[in-house]
Amino acid sequence: MSRIRATYRIETPDEPEHAAEAIANEQSSGTFVEVSTETDGLAERHGATVESITELEVVDEPSLPGSAPPAGAAESPTYTRAEVDLSYPVGNIGTSLQNLMTLIAGNLFVLKELSGVRLVDLSLPEEFAAAQPGPQFGIEGTRELLGVQDRPIIGSIIKPSVGLSPEETGDVVETLVEAGVDFIKDDELIASPPYSRVEDRIAEVIDPIRRHEAETGKRVLYACNVTGDVDEMLERHDAVKEAGGNCLMVSLRSVGLAGVQKLREESDLPIHGHRNGWGALSRCPQLGFSYEAWQKLWRLAGVDHLHVSGIRNKFTESDESVVSSAIECQTPIASDDDTVMPVFSSAQWAGQAHDTYESVGNTDLMYLAGGGIHGHPDGPRAGVAHLKQGWEAAMKGVPLDEYAETHDELRTAIEYYGDHD
């Protein structure tokens, strides 16, 4: 029988072997005592298996409260950190993506044998991955929709994040499309509040986008935030679709795997996945998820774009983590068709273009700037121009300062944003 493999980084006051077995028992057929109905045959068919254990280091204090050392342990126990590989029979869950989450990330997080546990990687059998909706557009499909090849997709966020009426939002969008962006998104903080219902907002936004396309031939995607319960989300999707909208955005943790999967099955529009709240799952290095594992779930559910923060961002995530996350989004799970476009955002301007390009090694990404476009001293048009110029310099291997000598928008941006970097 095919098996799902999950890698955890654990910390334990017990022997790592005992802690790993506790996870295996909790997440499959075992319990804290022997029961007569768990026969050898059943355990063989449905039990989780500890595949390997690699001890890493020993620390004197627990990372998390609530763990309990084994009976007879020293009065001041030490805590061993280890990387543990477990495998689970696919037959325990069939091809249910929602129950995969329970299988690999369920009650193990509250086991007393653990003072730390983090899911760091996930490997899925091809037949499981193939049974999921997966991205409808992904990298290549998004490029085809926009007609943008051989460079990043340059985009922006509606600013300010909240408070604009539908008409004011339409004015901002008109400014951005005239400035030359490829992509515009709502902020995660606005979905369909009373002052800016989705059906009202999309009506104001789509008009300048259509006019711009008719005049220039250039398409711009607008990711309208349709986050809500499943019925609300589908109703908002219908409003976007009927108005001629061309992209959807959802807050992943708010709508859940089932919500994303339902939207993917009902819609023929790209889904832009926002990861707000991600820090609650990742900020403690001894708890939660790595992005390498977490992003696979949402890709299989059907998103086409995934946020990864950005190099030298305004948050706590390291550049190394951001780059690793982006590369993982571009790495197939089961086939090339399930890759998605990583979305760089958070305090981005042209100053990070060279490092981003060199670290990721390609331009199959979205590069979004809020303040990096809206805040340019010479206005949004110059903000968009300077981003494109920064990426031109990066792809040509020309230092940013040198390229700025013949590009006014970039030179001004370096003088302005460099003081904020």
Side-chain angles (χ1 to χ4, degrees):
M1 181 183 293
S2 297
R3 299 183 76 83
I4 294 162
R5 294 184 69 114
T7 301
Y8 304 92
R9 185 177 302 119
I10 68 168
E11 181 185 281
T12 178
D14 207 331
E15 295 294 328
E17 292 80 3
H18 294 163
E21 287 294 343
I23 297 174
N25 287 335
E26 181 64 33
Q27 297 304 124
S28 63
S29 61
T31 186
F32 72 102
V33 294
E34 291 186 7
V35 294
S36 60
T37 47
E38 188 193 9
T39 63
D40 291 343
L42 186 146
E44 184 176 345
R45 292 189 305 273
H46 296 282
T49 300
V50 179
E51 300 289 352
S52 68
I53 299 172
T54 304
E55 293 193 18
L56 302 173
E57 61 183 332
V58 176
V59 296
D60 293 329
E61 299 291 335
S63 295
L64 303 173
S67 64
E75 192 169 312
S76 299
T78 57
Y79 298 82
T80 303
R81 292 176 179 170
E83 191 165 277
V84 176
D85 285 314
L86 275 76
S87 70
Y88 306 94
V90 171
N92 284 9
I93 58 168
T95 58
S96 169
L97 191 59
Q98 291 72 35
N99 288 306
L100 172 65
M101 177 71 88
T102 305
L103 180 72
I104 62 174
N107 280 344
L108 63 96
F109 284 104
V110 290
L111 287 171
K112 286 185 177 181
E113 288 86 349
L114 301 171
S115 56
V117 56
R118 184 180 181 91
L119 176 65
V120 297
D121 206 356
L122 176 63
S123 178
L124 298 167
E126 185 174 345
E127 62 266 30
F128 183 94
Q132 310 310 318
Q136 188 170 184
F137 294 88
I139 295 170
E140 292 306 317
T142 301
R143 285 196 178 282
E144 289 175 10
L145 282 175
L146 286 168
V148 174
Q149 303 290 340
D150 303 321
R151 67 167 174 83
I153 289 170
I154 302 297
S156 190
I157 306 98
I158 303 293
K159 294 294 180 182
S161 305
V162 295
L164 296 177
S165 69
E167 295 79 10
E168 290 168 328
T169 304
D171 291 341
V172 172
V173 168
E174 184 170 17
T175 298
L176 289 171
V177 297
E178 290 178 353
V181 295
D182 307 310
F183 179 89
I184 303 167
K185 64 174 282 294
D186 284 331
D187 192 85
E188 69 274 12
L189 293 172
I190 185 169
S192 194
Y195 68 88
S196 184
R197 298 290 188 188
V198 161
E199 56 268 30
D200 300 324
R201 193 167 70 249
I202 189 65
E204 296 294 332
V205 164
I206 204 65
D207 187 49
I209 289 176
R210 281 175 169 167
R211 288 201 310 269
H212 181 73
E213 184 174 357
E215 293 168 2
T216 67
K218 176 177 171 51
R219 174 174 286 186
V220 175
L221 291 183
Y222 164 63
C224 186
N225 189 354
V226 298
T227 301
D229 67 36
V230 173
D231 289 338
E232 289 172 333
M233 188 170 58
L234 294 178
E235 289 172 3
R236 292 166 188 172
H237 157 267
D238 291 346
V240 171
K241 179 75 173 176
E242 289 168 9
N246 53 25
C247 191
L248 308 169
M249 180 183 126
V250 290
S251 293
L252 300 177
R253 293 182 65 238
S254 299
V255 305
L257 287 169
V260 171
Q261 193 165 343
K262 182 65 174 177
L263 187 63
R264 164 66 174 86
E265 291 168 350
E266 296 291 328
S267 179
D268 60 358
L269 300 178
I271 300 173
H272 188 85
H274 199 291
R275 69 175 194 175
N276 55 83
W278 164 243
L281 304 177
S282 64
R283 194 167 179 180
C284 174
Q286 304 303 326
L287 179 65
F289 295 73
S290 75
Y291 199 71
E292 286 80 356
W294 192 78
Q295 54 88 30
K296 291 178 181 177
L297 301 169
W298 301 104
R299 287 164 60 185
L300 293 173
V303 300
D304 298 288
H305 320 140
L306 274 171
H307 280 241
V308 297
S309 193
I311 286 180
R312 295 194 294 282
N313 59 75
K314 64 183 179 182
F315 301 127
T316 60
E317 191 166 0
S318 69
D319 291 350
E320 293 76 14
S321 176
V322 171
V323 170
S324 175
S325 297
I327 292 172
E328 285 293 325
C329 287
Q330 298 173 347
T331 302
I333 299 172
S335 73
D336 291 339
D337 293 336
D338 62 29
T339 60
V340 297
M341 188 161 275
V343 181
F344 283 75
S345 64
S346 177
Q348 300 300 283
W349 65 286
Q352 297 102 321
H354 280 73
D355 291 340
T356 303
Y357 182 53
E358 291 169 7
S359 299
V360 177
N362 60 64
T363 61
D364 285 334
L365 56 94
M366 284 188 174
Y367 200 75
L368 306 189
I373 287 177
H374 295 275
H376 191 286
D378 296 329
R381 187 181 294 272
V384 174
H386 105 273
L387 285 177
K388 292 181 178 179
Q389 292 161 6
W391 273 94
E392 288 167 6
M395 291 185 289
K396 292 176 180 178
V398 179
L400 201 65
D401 288 341
E402 182 180 330
Y403 208 71
E405 292 174 4
T406 55
H407 294 83
D408 293 343
E409 297 90 347
L410 182 57
R411 182 172 62 253
T412 299
I414 291 172
E415 293 169 356
Y416 180 71
Y417 293 111
D419 292 336
H420 297 79
D421 202 5

